[in-house]
Amino acid sequence: MSSRDTISESEELLPFHVKSIPKSVAKKCEEELNETPDKKTKALQDLRSMLQRNRETTGIRFHDDFLSQFLRRNKYRMTDTYQNVQNFVIINRKESFLFKSVPDQYLHLPSSKVLVLLPKRCPDGCTIVKSQIGKWNPREIPFEHFQSLLAVMFVQLLRDPMTQINGFKIIHDFKDTSIHLLKFCSPRNLQLLYHGAINCAPARYKQIHFVNDSIVLKTLWAILKPFLSEKIRNRVVFHSSPEGLLDYFPRSVLPTEYGGTLRESDTEDFLKTANKYHEEYTIEGQPNFY
């Protein structure tokens, strides 16, 4: 799975913040995700009709951009898309705390840096997110608000069309994770994490990387691995050292602690902006950023 031979530092690297979809990505959307303007129009009409006949979703006036996230995630397979939207609505109602913005005071604490959006995209346009669970201090941010913080980040990132089309690559860094974190890994919490991320969110997970092994990671992987599809398991990569990430990412997109050249390793204030946007979030979704 290593792409050492295909990664070139000379390739054009786009920043996360772009104002339009490049032609190459629009072509990828058509060829890989099966989207054309005519097909999109018809699919949105058909999907709305199906959702209005379902008791869980009838009466909800979904934004077109919001429904398009699910169509793209499922490559326009209508049955899968319909089930994906239904799952999202049900979890939204059952676990409504996840879909609320968090108090502003939490965003200035070190624990808010658990999820960091890196400022550059991969050559294939993927959005890169770094997760460092060891930075979370339950005394700073209570668990329920911490869960909401993670949901806010991903719900708002999915308003970016480039992320919808190209997907995520996530670096999970387990440095400094304490065994005390395992008390939060109850069956219910892990089931909610798995179901929300895999069955509900309209997210495309292209690669999932784990660095800095720990007892917490070993325990979580042992529990979650049997439930993951073969497709997802094949996209998971464990690294014996952080520098192993260089087999998969250009040096210029990685922070210096992973052998990269990126010194400013997060997109400034994205989480604060996302949390502010999220105050306007409803079950109908929100329009794309552009």
Side-chain angles (χ1 to χ4, degrees):
M1 190 173 172
S2 170
S3 50
R4 180 186 293 273
D5 295 330
T6 61
I7 291 175
S8 169
E9 290 292 339
S10 64
E11 289 184 81
E12 181 184 7
L13 297 176
L14 295 172
F16 171 77
H17 292 293
V18 296
K19 296 182 179 179
S20 61
I21 300 174
K23 290 182 179 179
S24 60
V25 177
K27 183 178 180 181
K28 179 180 182 179
C29 188
E30 179 177 350
E31 294 179 349
E32 186 175 320
L33 305 188
N34 304 310
E35 179 177 301
T36 64
D38 289 344
K39 187 168 187 175
K40 182 177 180 179
T41 298
K42 185 177 187 306
L44 284 170
Q45 291 174 346
D46 292 345
L47 182 57
R48 286 186 182 282
S49 178
M50 293 168 69
L51 292 169
Q52 288 306 310
R53 294 196 299 269
N54 182 280
R55 66 179 182 177
E56 295 287 351
T57 52
T58 187
I60 302 176
R61 301 181 65 180
F62 294 105
H63 284 275
D64 281 357
D65 285 348
F66 181 66
L67 292 181
S68 294
Q69 294 178 24
F70 294 90
L71 288 165
R72 287 171 169 172
R73 189 264 192 185
N74 293 287
K75 298 186 178 181
Y76 278 73
R77 297 184 300 269
M78 194 59 65
T79 300
D80 292 341
T81 302
Y82 172 67
Q83 185 63 58
N84 197 182
V85 176
Q86 201 175 168
N87 290 343
F88 187 92
V89 169
I90 291 171
I91 197 174
N92 192 300
R93 287 174 171 157
K94 288 180 65 177
E95 313 291 347
S96 58
F97 72 93
L98 287 174
F99 299 92
K100 296 177 181 177
S101 57
V102 300
D104 284 342
Q105 68 261 26
Y106 292 140
L107 304 181
H108 303 283
L109 300 173
S111 289
S112 70
K113 290 295 186 180
V114 167
L115 279 186
V116 170
L117 170 66
L118 298 188
K120 293 183 180 181
R121 297 178 183 273
C122 281
D124 58 7
C126 280
T127 295
I128 311 171
V129 174
K130 178 179 69 171
S131 164
Q132 292 179 290
I133 189 65
K135 288 184 177 291
W136 174 51
N137 182 346
R139 292 186 295 275
E140 281 188 347
I141 302 180
F143 184 55
E144 184 170 303
H145 286 301
F146 174 70
Q147 290 174 290
S148 300
L149 198 66
L150 303 185
V152 165
M153 184 76 161
F154 278 94
V155 168
Q156 292 301 319
L157 277 173
L158 284 167
R159 294 176 62 197
D160 168 56
M162 287 283 285
T163 304
Q164 295 167 20
I165 296 168
N166 298 300
F168 290 101
K169 292 181 182 177
I170 305 175
I171 300 169
H172 288 290
D173 186 342
F174 276 74
K175 183 180 180 181
D176 297 329
T177 50
S178 165
I179 195 169
H180 297 296
L181 289 176
L182 292 177
K183 71 179 182 180
F184 297 99
C185 299
S186 66
R188 183 190 183 280
N189 289 339
L190 291 179
Q191 192 277 336
L192 180 59
L193 171 66
Y194 170 83
H195 179 62
I198 303 299
N199 299 326
C200 301
R204 308 186 70 219
Y205 304 107
K206 305 303 290 183
Q207 290 176 7
I208 303 168
H209 297 266
F210 291 106
V211 298
N212 293 317
D213 197 4
S214 75
I215 186 63
V216 177
L217 173 55
K218 285 183 171 69
T219 303
L220 288 176
W221 182 246
I223 296 171
L224 291 174
K225 182 180 177 180
F227 299 99
L228 299 176
S229 67
E230 183 179 2
K231 178 179 178 180
I232 292 293
R233 288 200 302 270
N234 288 339
R235 295 182 179 185
V236 172
V237 187
F238 289 86
H239 298 278
S240 58
S241 70
E243 288 74 17
L245 292 167
L246 293 170
D247 287 345
Y248 297 83
F249 297 89
R251 194 177 295 272
S252 57
V253 308
L254 289 176
T256 53
E257 68 256 40
Y258 302 141
T261 59
L262 200 61
R263 297 190 180 277
E264 296 297 327
S265 63
D266 77 88
T267 302
E268 188 69 24
D269 292 332
F270 178 81
L271 184 57
K272 294 176 185 177
T273 303
N275 194 55
K276 191 68 177 175
Y277 283 137
H278 209 70
E279 292 176 3
E280 305 299 322
Y281 171 82
T282 72
I283 195 137
E284 297 174 350
Q286 292 172 289
N288 288 340
F289 289 137
Y290 57 90

